[in-house]
């Protein structure tokens, strides 16, 4: 048996050669011109593999009130098969007491003519601490229920307000999803 060693140059955007594959973290950083991105690295990226959408539940002049179905969003085909991994909320005027609290419910049909059946997406609800404006600063971090995080084309995401707080106005909610 004869072994032959061949030297092959590294690839670049102008030269054929061997290319190293980027990890999801390297894909997120986006500063390495010597590696190639794989579909898995792209899907796992903290930036490029994420789909985000936001909804204004109440405008800034409207006092926040409790109730299920304060807003609804239809899941588009571009998000089919993704999992919700984070939910954030923001008020325009802060609550002076009480924690504005948001739950996301996923609605799904068993058949095209069936009504939606809803399950809660969050096992620990998204809260905004009293005298603060955003859930990013909350003492208790929201937690997504892994049993109910998957979304499919045509699902409906319902925004429920479980606690309004005192004096809070306006509410914006952001939901982020990515492939599992």
């Amino acid at each position: 048996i004869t072994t032959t060693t061949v030297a092959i140059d590294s690839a670049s955007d102008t030269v054929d050669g061997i290319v190293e594959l980027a990890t999801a973290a390297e894909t997120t950083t986006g500063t390495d011109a010597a590696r190639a991105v794989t579909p898995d690295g792209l899907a796992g990226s903290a930036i490029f593999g994420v789909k985000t959408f936001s909804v204004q539940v109440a405008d800034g002049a409207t006092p926040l009130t409790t109730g299920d179905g304060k807003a609804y969003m239809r899941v588009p085909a571009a998000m089919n098969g993704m999992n919700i991994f984070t939910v954030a909320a923001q008020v325009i005027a802060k609550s002076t007491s009480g924690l504005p609290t948001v739950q996301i419910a996923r609605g799904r049909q068993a058949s095209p003519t069936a009504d939606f059946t809803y399950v809660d997406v969050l096992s620990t609800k998204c809260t905004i601490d009293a005298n603060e404006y955003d859930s990013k600063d909350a003492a208790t971090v929201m937690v997504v229920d892994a049993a109910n995080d998957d979304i499919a084309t045509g699902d409906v995401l319902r925004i429920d307000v479980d606690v309004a707080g005192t004096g809070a106005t306006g509410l914006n909610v952001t939901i982020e999803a990515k492939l599992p």
Side-chain angles (χ1 to χ4, degrees), residues 4-180:
T4 304
T5 303
V6 177
I8 301 176
D9 293 331
S10 294
S12 72
D13 58 355
T14 58
V15 177
D16 290 342
I18 299 219
V19 66
E20 182 180 348
L21 302 179
T23 66
E26 291 165 338
T27 301
T28 297
T29 303
T31 57
D32 189 336
R35 289 183 176 85
V37 176
T38 65
D40 186 57
L42 188 61
S45 167
I47 297 172
F48 302 109
V50 175
K51 300 276 186 180
T52 304
F53 52 106
S54 296
V55 65
Q56 182 182 47
V57 178
D59 69 47
T62 302
L64 191 57
T65 59
T66 60
D68 290 349
K70 292 295 186 172
Y72 293 84
M73 295 174 281
R74 181 186 179 277
V75 174
M79 296 179 77
N80 187 55
M82 291 188 159
N83 291 343
I84 294 171
F85 72 94
T86 192
V87 173
Q90 174 190 62
V91 292
I92 303 306
K94 62 188 176 186
S95 168
T96 56
S97 69
L99 282 63
T101 303
V102 173
Q103 174 64 270
I104 305 299
R106 183 200 67 211
R108 184 168 285 163
Q109 295 175 289
S111 72
T113 58
D115 200 1
F116 289 92
T117 301
Y118 287 90
V119 294
D120 287 340
V121 172
L122 303 177
S123 55
T124 301
K125 298 173 187 176
C126 181
T127 61
I128 302 169
D129 294 343
N131 296 307
E132 293 183 0
Y133 293 93
D134 201 292
S135 63
K136 70 179 175 52
D137 304 309
T140 302
V141 178
M142 68 91 222
V143 176
V144 175
D145 182 343
N148 298 326
D149 64 351
D150 61 301
I151 53 178
T153 304
D155 281 353
V156 173
L157 299 178
R158 183 184 75 198
I159 298 176
D160 303 337
V161 177
D162 294 341
V163 178
T166 302
T169 64
L171 178 64
N172 299 313
V173 174
T174 301
I175 298 171
E176 293 184 283
K178 64 182 176 180
L179 291 171

